[in-house]
């Protein structure tokens, strides 16, 4: 590795070893392999230990980044992970799926030199190191308060709230609708990006802290929020954004047209890729188009490749530079052989006589003036229609919040986007003793933002439980 | 985990499964369903609920053994348990005072329409019950309807009981009544619901069907259960499962239900022998 130095600055950002594209496109194992101890220490040494670390301000949960990095430099990984966990109870997850390039790392002073410290990789290193050390230390719990808290949803927001409140001495029960806890980390993000064993470990950890996790329980159906309020002193709603959007174009209900939620859930939660060993089937398609440009679209496209598709395309209505996916993910997809059809909009799906998708009709787009999101508006080019032969389409254009809880809870106010109205500082909803956070409040966002919201809500719930103030 | 209280084959290939599920029993309404996963490798399948007992904390499901997942369920015995039983899901049947309501049940739908008929009867409706089956020996629970239904009709494919023929003979049933029913509710296989809806559309009688598409989560997350009703896409799990039978796009619905037929049969071809395949048949016990 070349040692590029400029003054005292080490500008050699260390790459993380990865499975080669040729190899990884045929397996579901994790793509990124993580730093070795040597690499981690070398990368940690590049941190300038700024007096006023800007990286911290880029972190939604304000991790003491230079502090934990300094422990890696000393080789004191145990203290490093402890420091990290003071602010982030899911470091193995965040180290993998956080968009560090637009958060902590974007603020790093070395970013100006194009060599920001790989904070995310270091975070991941510590979490993975801890996992190899056997039993995880259980922090000291406060004396029991006798107060009971129900957490609805076991995704990143719910796990954070539960983990925080159990340590403060409250009784915590998580209700999860699916049969496995973890929310989007389990059903949505594929094994090759976030191994399920890591999520399971985090769930086991909160269970070990004493959190009661009840799966197969649909709050809003099995019991309503009002019924739960009779038994629990406070409720946190973290039900996420799980209602898939479709484009409402002709042919969308043909066989072979999936929502990304369905496609990924079949693969991840239901282990469809092991079929027939697992009993949830997934069709093997030769040509798969994925509509959308976010991380979920990349996950779907890369899953299709691994299922043995010959041709996988990302169809996105803007251009490459507007892709909402993390650069790392779209690069991985491209390396693995996913074809990118940019500035393209599907307008119709065409099927055969048995109701199976055969072709998709698209329009070419060009970029116009910026729209409300600040990105250039995609404009249809007239008479640019063309068709592509496809066996499957995965629609990955986003999700809105699941209305199950809001629609069964009188007095719980929602916005016109279907998200819950909640105080951004506390997570307090319009209902007495009910808090909310994560995607159900913000609309589909990131794991770390959901955790940040969970942390704030836990603080506010704790205050209420101890002082009666909400 | 939900304990199996009872599992019996009530007519050939049709099973009654009673599960311990106190919270669901307390909450469930006619027309709702549960999602069941037999074991840890199991698929999540939606099943209509045919009865429940709040006191005992149990729910009863009637299902037909059609493939791998129902095959595993059919192999359960009392004392076993299923990995998942979650619900009640979907919306309850609209219960009102409609006047005369004709309930049409076939296959597993004889079971699932029973609580619907019961509730409609409590609400003061006159109930006309129509059983549909290939043959008389496939009809079950007839005794349960006797004291609630003002009239009972039967249509069998082989003519072994009642009228001979297909569900299209529903026209003759309706003509045999002094006046057409005010509402018809149909539970059963897709063919039954589609053809019954076709008949009643011509007669202009409001018809409600309880759809049974493929589902994964059953809470609106995956969208595999989408169905076109009146030209718009609905999710059967959260917008249904009951819809106006005259507005459902049946051709699309049928195609969507058959999506995984190939894979389901390949499961039988490739997987290790499952205990269920070696289970002794109890068809005539």
């Amino acid at each position: 590795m070349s040692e590029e130095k400029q003054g005292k600055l080490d500008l050699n950002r260390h790459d993380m070893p990865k499975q080669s594209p040729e190899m990884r496109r045929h397996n579901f194992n994790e793509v990124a392999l993580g730093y070795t101890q040597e690499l981690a220490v070398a990368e940690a040494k590049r941190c300038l230990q700024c007096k006023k670390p800007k990286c911290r301000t880029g972190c939604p949960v304000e991790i003491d980044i230079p502090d934990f990095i300094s422990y890696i430099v000393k080789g004191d990984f145990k203290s490093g992970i402890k420091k990290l966990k003071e602010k982030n109870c899911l470091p193995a997850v965040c180290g993998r799926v956080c968009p560090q390039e637009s958060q902590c790392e974007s603020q790093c002073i070395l970013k100006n030199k194009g060599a920001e410290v790989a904070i995310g990789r270091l975070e991941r290193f510590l979490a993975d190191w801890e996992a190899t050390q056997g039993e995880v230390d259980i922090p000291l719990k406060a004396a029991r308060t006798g107060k009971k808290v129900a957490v609805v949803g076991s995704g990143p927001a719910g796990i954070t709230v539960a983990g925080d409140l159990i340590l403060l001495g409250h009784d915590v029960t998580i209700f999860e609708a699916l049969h496995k806890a973890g929310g989007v980390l389990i059903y949505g993000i594929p094994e090759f990006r976030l191994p399920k064993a890591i999520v399971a470990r985090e769930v086991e950890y909160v269970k070990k802290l004493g959190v009661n996790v009840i799966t197969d329980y649909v709050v809003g159906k099995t019991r309503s929020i009002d019924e739960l309020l009779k038994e629990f002193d406070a409720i946190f709603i973290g039900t996420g954004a799980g209602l898939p959007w479709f484009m409402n174009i002709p042919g969308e209900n043909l066989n072979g047209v999936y929502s990304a939620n369905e496609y990924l859930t079949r693969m991840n939660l239901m282990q469809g890729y092991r079929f027939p060993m697992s009993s949830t089937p997934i069709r093997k398609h030769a040509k798969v188009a994925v509509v959308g440009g976010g991380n979920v679209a990349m996950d779907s496209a890369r899953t299709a490749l691994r299922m043995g598709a010959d041709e996988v395309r990302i169809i996105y209505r803007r251009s490459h530079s507007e892709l909402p996916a993390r650069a790392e993910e779209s690069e991985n997809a491209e390396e693995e052989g996913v074809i990118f059809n940019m500035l393209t909009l599907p307008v119709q799906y065409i099927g055969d006589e048995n109701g199976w998708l055969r072709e998709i009709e698209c329009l070419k787009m060009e970029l116009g003036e910026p729209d409300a999101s600040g990105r250039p508006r995609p404009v249809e080019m007239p008479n640019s229609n063309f068709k592509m032969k496809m066996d499957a389409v995965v629609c990955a254009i986003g999700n809105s919040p699941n209305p199950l809880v809001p629609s069964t809870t009188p007095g719980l106010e929602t916005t016109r986007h279907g998200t819950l109205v909640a105080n951004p500082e506390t997570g307090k909803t319009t209902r007495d003793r009910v808090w909310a956070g994560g995607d159900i409040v913000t609309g589909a966002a990131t794991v770390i933002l959901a955790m940040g919201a969970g942390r704030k809500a836990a603080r506010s719930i704790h205050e209420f439980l101890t002082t009666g103030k909400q | 985990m939900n304990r199996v209280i009872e599992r019996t084959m009530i007519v050939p290939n049709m099973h009654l499964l009673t599960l311990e599920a106190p919270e669901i029993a307390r909450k469930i309404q006619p027309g709702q369903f549960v999602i069941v996963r037999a074991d840890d490798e199991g698929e999540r399948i939606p099943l209509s609920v045919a009865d429940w007992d709040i006191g005992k904390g149990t729910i009863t499901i009637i299902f037909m053994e059609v493939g791998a997942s129902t095959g595993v369920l059919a192999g359960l015995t009392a004392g076993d348990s299923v990995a998942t039983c979650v619900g009640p899901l979907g919306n309850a049947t609209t219960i009102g005072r409609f006047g005369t309501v004709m309930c049409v049940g076939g296959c597993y739908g004889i079971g699932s329409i029973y609580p619907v008929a019961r509730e409609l009867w409590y609400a003061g409706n006159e109930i006309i019950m129509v059983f549909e089956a290939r043959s008389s020996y496939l009809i079950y629970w007839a005794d349960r309807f006797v004291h609630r239904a003002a009239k009972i009709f039967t249509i069998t494919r082989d003519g072994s009981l009642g009228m001979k023929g297909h569900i299209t003979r529903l026209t003759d049933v309706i003509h045999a009544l002094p006046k057409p029913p005010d509402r018809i509710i149909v539970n059963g296989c897709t063919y039954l619901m589609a053809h019954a809806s076709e008949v009643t559309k011509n007669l202009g009688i409001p018809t409600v069907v309880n759809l049974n598409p493929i589902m994964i989560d059953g809470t609106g997350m995956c969208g595999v259960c989408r169905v076109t009703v009146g030209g718009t896409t609905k999710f059967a799990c959260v917008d249904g499962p009951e819809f106006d039978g005259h507005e459902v796009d049946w051709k699309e619905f049928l195609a969507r239900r058959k999506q995984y037929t190939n894979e389901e049969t390949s499961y039988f071809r490739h997987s290790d022998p499952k205990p269920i395949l070696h289970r002794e048949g109890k068809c005539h016990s």
Side-chain angles (χ1 to χ4, degrees), chain A residues 170-437:
Chain A
H170 309 296
D171 272 354
V172 184
T173 304
I174 297 181
F175 293 97
E176 165 58 44
L178 293 170
H179 57 267
K180 259 188 223 161
V184 70
L185 307 175
I186 280 286
Y187 74 75
I189 303 177
E191 177 78 17
F192 56 81
R193 197 151 72 87
L194 178 64
K196 299 299 149 242
I198 287 172
V199 183
R201 199 169 73 213
E202 303 298 355
V203 172
E204 277 314 306
Y205 176 71
V206 293
K207 278 189 187 167
K208 215 177 272 175
L209 294 180
V211 173
N212 182 19
V213 179
I214 299 179
T215 52
D216 293 324
Y217 202 104
V218 185
V219 172
K221 285 287 180 188
T222 318
R223 252 203 277 180
S224 66
I225 292 288
D226 284 283
E227 287 167 298
L228 285 178
L229 279 169
K230 289 178 196 156
E231 190 188 332
F232 294 91
D233 299 291
I235 296 180
F236 175 82
I237 302 170
T239 48
L243 202 73
W245 286 338
F246 286 94
M247 294 173 68
N248 290 317
I249 59 175
E252 219 161 18
N253 292 347
L254 285 166
N255 287 347
V257 181
Y258 304 88
S259 72
N261 274 358
E262 181 194 348
Y263 194 70
L264 293 174
T265 301
R266 277 184 188 277
M267 297 303 295
N268 301 326
L269 177 75
M270 305 312 295
Q271 307 260 297
Y273 64 92
R274 291 175 51 238
F275 184 84
M277 291 316 293
S278 64
S279 49
T280 301
I282 180 100
R283 272 240 164 182
K284 291 196 164 109
H285 300 284
K287 289 169 174 243
V288 182
V290 178
V291 182
N295 289 324
V296 174
M298 301 306 146
D299 286 347
S300 305
R302 297 169 72 196
T303 298
L305 274 182
R306 285 160 174 77
M307 282 300 290
D310 305 323
E311 182 185 312
V312 179
R313 292 174 183 273
I314 290 274
I315 296 182
Y316 180 55
R317 60 186 181 148
R318 292 188 169 93
S319 75
H320 220 285
S321 43
E322 286 82 36
L323 280 174
R326 297 183 65 190
E328 185 180 327
E329 300 309 329
S330 59
E331 279 160 22
N332 278 337
E334 213 154 3
E335 278 174 19
E336 288 165 15
V338 174
I339 304 160
F340 284 66
N341 283 82
M342 299 291 102
L343 292 164
T344 306
L345 179 76
V347 288
Q348 175 176 205
Y349 300 127
I350 301 157
D352 62 16
E353 66 285 0
N354 296 321
W356 280 92
L357 177 78
R358 284 298 164 254
E359 276 185 314
I360 68 178
E361 185 181 333
C362 298
L363 267 182
K364 291 263 187 214
M365 310 292 277
E366 57 190 351
L367 294 180
E369 293 299 305
D371 63 12
S373 72
R375 298 175 297 176
R377 186 190 301 275
V379 184
E380 295 175 4
M381 290 168 71
N383 303 318
S384 63
N385 302 49
F386 67 101
K387 287 178 183 171
M388 283 192 273
K389 290 225 179 304
M390 281 292 155
D391 306 311
V393 166
V394 180
C395 190
I397 58 169
N399 290 291
S400 47
N402 195 315
L404 243 171
V405 170
S407 68
T408 54
T409 313
L412 194 61
E413 248 176 71
T414 54
T415 68
R416 65 191 174 88
H417 302 293
T419 54
L420 287 184
V421 173
N423 181 325
E425 287 314 306
T426 61
K428 188 69 192 44
T429 67
T430 53
R431 276 294 303 267
D432 198 35
R433 297 191 283 136
V434 180
W435 282 257

Side-chain angles (χ1 to χ4, degrees), chain A residues 63-115:
Chain A
I63 294 174
D64 297 323
I65 295 167
D67 265 25
F68 90 71
I69 291 181
S70 71
Y71 286 115
I72 301 180
V73 174
K74 290 179 215 151
D76 182 0
F77 306 137
K78 196 168 177 127
S79 306
I81 187 70
K82 204 172 153 202
K83 189 79 207 157
L84 192 48
K85 279 193 154 173
E86 280 174 11
K87 291 287 167 69
N88 181 347
C89 60
L90 302 172
V93 175
C94 291
R96 287 171 167 82
V97 303
C98 254
Q100 293 100 7
E101 65 280 6
S102 59
Q103 296 180 343
C104 52
E105 293 178 14
S106 74
Q107 303 296 316
C108 176
I109 196 85
L110 291 174
K111 170 90 180 170
N112 302 333
K113 311 276 181 196

Side-chain angles (χ1 to χ4, degrees), chain B:
Chain B
M1 296 280 270
N2 298 72
R3 206 156 58 91
V4 176
I5 305 298
E6 182 189 356
R7 203 277 313 148
T8 6
M9 191 186 284
I10 48 170
V11 292
N13 236 21
M14 195 74 65
H15 299 261
L16 175 149
L17 176 66
T18 298
L19 296 172
E20 194 174 63
E23 295 223 49
I24 299 175
R26 207 158 55 211
K27 229 23 208 306
I28 196 158
Q29 302 284 318
Q32 290 188 300
F33 63 93
V34 291
I35 293 237
V36 175
R37 198 172 54 107
D39 52 39
D40 274 333
E41 291 287 355
E43 191 182 3
R44 297 172 64 98
I45 52 171
L47 296 170
S48 301
V49 177
D51 205 359
W52 49 90
D53 187 324
I54 300 177
K56 290 183 184 152
T58 59
I59 61 167
T60 295
I61 295 160
I62 305 285
F63 68 94
M64 186 157 80
E65 186 179 348
V66 288
S69 300
T70 45
V72 177
L73 292 179
L76 295 170
T77 50
D80 289 347
S81 55
V82 293
T84 288
C85 176
V86 58
L89 300 171
N91 300 306
T93 302
T94 312
I95 301 293
R97 196 149 180 184
F98 302 110
T100 303
V101 182
M102 178 180 275
C103 295
V104 183
C107 186
Y108 74 87
I110 296 175
S112 66
I113 211 162
Y114 166 66
V116 175
R118 182 174 61 189
E119 203 61 32
L120 284 166
W121 181 76
Y122 282 138
N125 295 283
E126 181 185 58
I127 305 296
I128 312 278
M129 182 62 204
V130 180
F131 292 105
E132 189 271 349
R134 264 178 296 125
S135 188
S136 60
Y137 69 88
L138 293 171
I139 293 170
Y140 56 94
W141 278 15
D143 55 317
R144 290 192 172 213
F145 293 89
V146 169
H147 65 286
R148 293 199 174 105
K151 288 199 178 71
I152 295 181
F153 293 89
T154 306
I155 304 171
T156 50
R157 211 83 48 87
D158 63 359
S160 52
L161 189 68
M163 291 183 187
K164 179 176 175 170
H166 289 270
I167 187 61
T168 41
R169 300 238 24 210
L170 197 58
T171 321
D172 301 318
V173 173
I174 293 167
H175 287 320
L177 296 171
K179 68 175 184 63
D182 299 294
R183 194 181 180 85
I184 299 185
I185 302 182
V186 194
N187 280 13
C189 72
T190 308
Y191 288 103
L192 175 78
M193 294 192 289
H195 289 297
S197 297
E198 205 179 306
V199 167
T200 62
K201 192 173 188 174
N202 295 332
L203 297 172
I205 307 168
T207 300
V208 175
V209 294
N210 191 305
L211 297 184
N212 49 1
I214 300 172
M215 293 187 189
I216 302 179
D217 61 295
T219 62
M221 194 190 86
C222 76
V224 62
C225 67
R226 57 197 192 280
V227 48
T228 304
V229 182
T232 45
T233 296
K234 302 279 183 191
F235 285 10
C237 65
V238 287
D239 301 321
E242 291 205 335
F243 293 104
D244 179 345
H246 300 159
E247 297 289 334
V248 172
D249 180 339
W250 290 106
K251 191 175 172 232
E252 176 191 280
F253 184 75
L254 198 58
R256 290 193 63 77
R257 266 194 59 98
K258 287 181 172 171
Q259 275 183 81
Y260 290 99
T261 309
N262 282 345
E263 287 73 10
E264 300 259 303
T265 48
S266 84
Y267 176 90
F268 282 110
R269 288 200 299 274
H270 295 302
S271 65
D272 292 332
K274 294 261 165 187
I276 176 64
L277 298 178
H278 300 280
R279 187 166 40 85
E280 220 174 286
K282 290 180 196 162
C283 295
H284 303 290
S285 63

